[in-house]
Amino acid sequence: MNPVRTFVLAGASALLLAGSLWAGGSKEPTGAMASTAPVSLTIWTHTHAPANAYLQKLVLQFQKDHPNFTLSYEPAADNDTYENKLLAALASGGGPDIFNTASFSDMYTFAGLGQLQEITPQILSSMGFSSAEAFKAQYVPGIIDKLYYNGKLYGLYREFNIFGLMLNKLAFKRAGLDATRDYPRTWDDLQSLAKKLTIFDGDKLVQTGMYEPLWNADWTLIPIQPLLIQNGGAILDSSGKTAAINQAGGVKTFSYFRALARAQNNAPVKVPEDVWARFSVGDVAMYVGSTWTMPLLKDSAKGDARFSPDNFVVVPYPKAPGADRVDAPIQALVWCVNKQTKSPTEAWRFVNWMTTGAQAVGWYNEVGYLLPTKAMMDMAGSNADVSRFLTLAKDADLLFAHPRYNEIGSAIFAAWQATLTTDDDVQGILDKAAQQINEALSR
Amino acid sequence: MTSGRARLFKRPWDVWGLIFVIPGLAYFIGIFIYPTVRTIGISFTDYNLFTPPVWSGLHNYATLFQQGIFLGSVKVTAIYVVVIGVANYVLPFLVALLLFRSRPVLGIGRAVFFLPVILPWVVVSAIWKIFYLSPGPIGFLLGLVGLSYPVNVLTYPGTALWGIIATAFWKSFGFYVVLFLTGLNAIPETYYEAADMDGANAIQRFRSVTFPLMRSTSLFIATVNFIGAIKEFDPFQVMTAGGPARATYVLTLFIYETAFKFLRMGRAAAASLIMCAAIVLVTVLQFRLFRPERD
């Protein structure tokens, strides 16, 4: 069974297990593990103000409860350079003890390069878990398996963002539509709605129907992947050794998104900047979003009276005719521990503590990050927002990840841009991307 | 018989001379010689920064010339270098000539044109990225004269490179105006007086006096301009990150991504050396083209 599909089912079961092991917080180590020897750990993350503040709070709390720990938290000054800074530090044999990867794929890349400390059975044991199964029991069944590389566990989830289609009621109203009733069920619906929701005043774009992210490679797959899967396409073939993006499913998917842009008189291409600010006040009608999107929209609105959380509706991605699933994308980031750390057990002990139990719930309450823990699933019973996104998780899959993702993603992003901004033949565009992907995979 | 040491240090201050040279020499070897030699070595290996390099012979070079993304970046770089090279030679020369003949505005003109030169590239790129937004400042200014600016030029592959070229020209133009003015100032007035006595008109004065005597300045400008243009990185990274659809994906971006995003240090080193070879080749050609004539 798909581990993500079990998310919601397991959530219901979890509700029945009130007062279970994790209810009062994550499992803390006992016995030999609970050493009082001084431990000094450095933590690096990319920067996201609410996450920085919450992690700093956790750091202080953990240090208070464990006086022998000295934790030094250093959020990145700039997300654009975070990956390079991390890479340079690791390559020089230094770097932080604990860090979050800039993408899910980075965990595979760094693990493949031997830079990560695995969570060994000994570490699990010293953390108080009798077996890997006991450790995994804190999480949604099967979900931890995605964090294994060559049979070894190298990471724990930092965030697990399930994406849905997000609609702004104000923008729908401006076009004489009701977002709660007229939302798109199929991709054809999406295209015709996007056309109706795009409004120009002469040359000036007033409202974009459906935004298609053009300027950020990391966001490219979030709109593409669901339709690609529904169309029977894939980025790589089943062997994982050859590009398949230029096969029929890929061509159909990219052609659809070109048609979607053209149906809106290229509105998504014309104004690629400030999408969050425009979406927050209703100048963009439809976009993709997750649980952390609302705090971001609130910030982006900068006090504009047109913003209200009540203006937004989250619905599942559309479905292609004949498709049995929506395949909503899940964008995950991972906590890793540096192979060079002097305190691997203590590092993993801290990571495990801060991502499970009450701390996991805090990640949602204070930052908006979902984590695939049982504690989080328990929230679905009392929190409509969590429940809505967990419902989407029934039909969700992790975004494509690969140790060579940076090269593969770069080729897909260039193809995506060419598809939206030129009239070149889509098959030719994807053939070129496939050639670049095959080059990336060849050595 | 004189010992080797004695021959090397004939005078006592020779030893001190050597001692004083050592820091500079160490810096030169550490910062220039060692990285160059190491880059050459790495270009013949498969190296990902984390595991020891593995000898691969000429594979990186062969792969580069079969790789569409590399050849595409060479093409984009060539267009940029040629266009900015010609623009940064012809227009600053013309403006310098006009300013030189209009002495009262020379000081003001020089200061105005030079202002963008002192701004860091990253700042210029970020500002121009905002200028190009649609709607944005450029659209507003064009609107005042009844013209429309419906799309951001950085958004489309057909216009993005030209947007960056315009920005680069705006940034560097003043620098070359000042260099040309310095060259014009160095031409002795007596040559012009002699030309006037011979009845030369403005075009003849330019062709027979100004242009030949500006050869050294031209050589310097052409060389500095070419090397600066081929090494340009910041505006491409900040304004478009090489996009859209690799329309602004220059060689420096290719090298940067290949090394630090794709972890293919050997291939990036090979591309760097090819770029270095291109710089040497074109510079030699420029020296031949602009070599001052000897009588």
Side-chain angles (χ1 to χ4, degrees):
Chain A
M1 191 181 211
N2 184 319
V4 183
R5 274 192 224 188
T6 62
F7 207 154
V8 173
L9 298 175
S13 313
L15 284 171
L16 302 171
L17 295 172
S20 66
L21 281 175
W22 42 268
S26 65
K27 187 173 270 196
E28 271 290 89
T30 53
M33 157 59 204
S35 163
T36 53
V39 176
S40 183
L41 298 170
T42 306
I43 306 157
W44 284 8
T45 65
H46 74 277
T47 192
H48 178 55
N52 300 353
Y54 181 58
L55 182 52
Q56 186 60 41
K57 196 195 277 186
L58 291 180
V59 161
L60 293 176
Q61 188 185 331
F62 193 82
Q63 284 185 141
K64 193 177 165 194
D65 296 343
H66 306 83
N68 59 320
F69 274 70
T70 304
L71 302 174
S72 169
Y73 172 43
E74 299 169 19
D78 165 16
N79 285 340
D80 290 339
T81 56
Y82 173 65
E83 192 173 12
N84 284 356
K85 183 185 166 191
L86 187 61
L87 186 69
L90 294 176
S92 62
D97 299 280
I98 300 166
F99 56 91
N100 78 245
T101 55
S103 74
F104 192 78
S105 292
D106 276 352
M107 184 198 66
Y108 294 146
T109 307
F110 289 141
L113 293 167
Q115 295 304 304
L116 300 186
Q117 169 64 49
E118 65 164 306
I119 307 178
T120 61
Q122 291 76 19
I123 290 177
L124 284 178
S125 169
S126 62
M127 282 161 63
F129 295 99
S130 56
S131 65
E133 280 61 41
F135 172 73
K136 289 179 188 177
Q138 303 177 101
Y139 294 91
V140 171
I143 207 71
I144 288 292
D145 296 341
K146 301 274 183 187
L147 299 170
Y148 277 77
Y149 181 79
N150 285 343
K152 294 175 180 173
L153 179 59
Y154 283 108
L156 291 178
Y157 290 105
R158 171 189 157 109
E159 47 191 286
F160 192 82
N161 304 309
I162 303 153
F163 278 82
L165 200 59
M166 216 164 182
L167 318 175
N168 188 309
K169 290 180 190 171
L170 287 181
F172 271 68
K173 200 173 170 187
R174 191 186 270 159
L177 297 163
D178 179 352
T180 54
R181 198 186 58 222
D182 301 322
Y183 66 87
R185 274 78 169 177
T186 68
W187 292 96
D188 287 343
D189 285 351
L190 179 71
Q191 188 169 319
S192 57
L193 265 175
K195 190 175 180 177
K196 282 182 200 164
L197 288 162
T198 300
I199 301 170
F200 278 89
D201 177 12
D203 270 350
K204 194 182 167 195
L205 177 65
V206 176
Q207 178 172 304
T208 305
M210 168 73 191
Y211 184 71
E212 297 174 65
L214 187 68
W215 286 93
N216 188 327
D218 295 341
W219 275 75
T220 311
L221 283 178
I222 294 173
I224 299 173
Q225 183 168 295
L227 182 56
L228 182 65
I229 297 172
Q230 290 177 33
N231 281 337
I235 292 166
L236 303 181
D237 69 4
S238 55
S239 74
K241 291 176 180 167
T242 308
I245 192 77
N246 57 340
Q247 302 301 309
V251 175
K252 200 171 168 188
T253 301
F254 276 69
S255 299
Y256 171 83
F257 281 105
R258 172 180 281 178
L260 181 61
R262 302 296 184 263
Q264 301 174 77
N265 196 14
N266 292 320
V269 181
K270 285 181 178 171
V271 187
E273 305 284 336
D274 295 334
V275 62
W276 294 117
R278 298 185 70 238
F279 189 38
S280 69
V281 297
D283 289 342
V284 170
M286 299 186 281
Y287 194 29
V288 291
S290 187
T291 41
W292 53 263
T293 306
M294 199 56 76
L296 180 67
L297 288 171
K298 190 180 174 190
D299 280 354
S300 304
K302 295 186 173 73
D304 193 308
R306 289 175 294 170
F307 171 79
S308 162
D310 297 335
N311 286 343
F312 294 88
V313 181
V314 177
V315 297
Y317 273 66
K319 208 183 259 190
D324 61 338
R325 297 189 65 211
V326 167
D327 294 290
I330 298 173
Q331 188 186 42
L333 285 185
V334 184
W335 287 110
C336 292
V337 168
N338 190 340
K339 182 81 176 172
Q340 307 297 330
T341 184
K342 290 175 184 156
S343 312
T345 303
E346 290 76 10
W348 277 124
R349 177 183 164 195
F350 173 69
V351 174
N352 181 56
W353 173 81
M354 73 162 160
T355 54
T356 51
Q359 294 70 242
V361 174
W363 278 109
Y364 174 77
N365 287 335
E366 302 208 19
V367 189
Y369 288 169
L370 280 175
L371 284 166
T373 64
K374 287 187 173 173
M376 188 69 77
M377 287 185 293
D378 194 27
M379 281 186 75
S382 58
N383 185 311
D385 197 31
V386 173
S387 174
R388 189 161 56 233
F389 278 96
L390 291 186
T391 305
L392 297 176
K394 275 192 295 185
D395 274 347
D397 283 306
L398 276 168
L399 279 169
F400 173 80
H402 192 278
R404 282 254 166 244
Y405 179 73
N406 279 350
E407 278 178 279
I408 296 169
S410 168
I412 294 171
F413 182 50
W416 173 248
Q417 286 185 317
T419 301
L420 295 188
T421 61
T422 74
D423 289 322
D424 295 351
D425 174 44
V426 172
Q427 180 70 62
I429 290 170
L430 292 176
D431 284 345
K432 200 187 276 185
Q435 187 192 351
Q436 286 164 16
I437 292 170
N438 288 333
E439 278 168 7
L441 297 171
S442 65
R443 272 173 81 93
Chain B
M1 189 178 164
T2 314
S3 70
R5 188 173 179 280
R7 274 204 304 274
L8 187 61
F9 303 113
K10 284 180 189 158
R11 292 162 299 225
W13 53 83
D14 286 346
V15 179
W16 284 106
L18 187 67
I19 289 170
F20 284 125
V21 163
I22 283 172
L25 199 62
Y27 175 81
F28 185 73
I29 291 170
I31 301 294
F32 295 101
I33 304 295
Y34 172 73
T36 306
V37 172
R38 182 105 168 96
T39 302
I40 294 169
I42 287 173
S43 76
F44 296 107
T45 65
D46 238 1
Y47 178 45
N48 62 24
L49 275 180
F50 293 95
T51 51
V54 177
W55 176 259
S56 63
L58 291 170
H59 182 267
N60 287 322
Y61 292 92
T63 304
L64 281 176
F65 287 105
Q66 293 161 5
Q67 206 179 0
I69 182 172
F70 170 74
L71 298 174
S73 73
V74 170
K75 185 180 160 191
V76 173
T77 307
I79 294 170
Y80 176 75
V81 167
V82 169
V83 174
I84 202 75
V86 171
N88 267 342
Y89 184 83
V90 176
L91 292 172
F93 201 171
L94 285 174
V95 170
L97 285 169
L98 290 173
L99 283 175
F100 192 65
R101 292 289 158 214
S102 318
R103 304 265 172 170
V105 295
L106 180 62
I108 300 167
R110 196 159 34 192
V112 168
F113 288 127
F114 200 75
L115 271 177
V117 179
I118 60 175
L119 294 172
W121 245 126
V122 174
V123 174
V124 169
S125 305
I127 291 171
W128 275 81
K129 197 175 169 185
I130 294 167
F131 282 176
Y132 281 132
L133 287 177
S134 171
I138 290 178
F140 173 75
L141 291 174
L142 289 174
L144 294 178
V145 292
L147 297 172
S148 71
Y149 178 72
V151 294
N152 181 341
V153 294
L154 299 179
T155 311
Y156 284 92
T159 52
L161 184 60
W162 297 101
I164 293 180
I165 286 172
T167 306
F169 179 69
W170 177 84
K171 164 125 177 67
S172 53
F173 171 75
F175 177 65
Y176 297 108
V177 169
V178 170
L179 288 181
F180 276 118
L181 282 171
T182 308
L184 290 170
N185 267 319
I187 299 173
E189 195 60 31
T190 49
Y191 289 109
Y192 291 110
E193 288 167 3
D196 288 343
M197 287 173 72
D198 289 342
N201 61 26
I203 294 172
Q204 288 167 326
R205 278 160 57 103
F206 176 77
R207 204 179 61 201
S208 306
V209 179
T210 309
F211 191 69
L213 291 173
M214 289 291 283
R215 275 176 177 260
S216 299
T217 306
S218 297
L219 172 62
F220 177 71
I221 287 172
T223 307
V224 168
N225 193 8
F226 169 70
I227 294 174
I230 202 170
K231 287 184 354 189
E232 209 76 87
F233 176 80
D234 298 10
F236 296 99
Q237 173 69 4
V238 176
M239 294 174 78
T240 58
R246 298 223 164 92
T248 59
Y249 197 67
V250 285
L251 201 45
T252 47
L253 268 181
F254 173 86
I255 292 167
Y256 165 74
E257 287 206 335
T258 303
F260 299 108
K261 283 195 184 300
F262 308 159
L263 299 178
R264 297 184 186 274
M265 303 306 290
R267 199 176 292 176
S272 302
L273 291 168
I274 290 169
M275 188 171 95
C276 186
I279 290 174
V280 171
L281 186 71
V282 175
T283 305
V284 168
L285 286 174
Q286 286 173 330
F287 266 82
R288 293 183 72 86
L289 190 66
F290 289 105
R291 186 169 47 196
E293 285 174 2
R294 297 176 198 284
D295 43 342

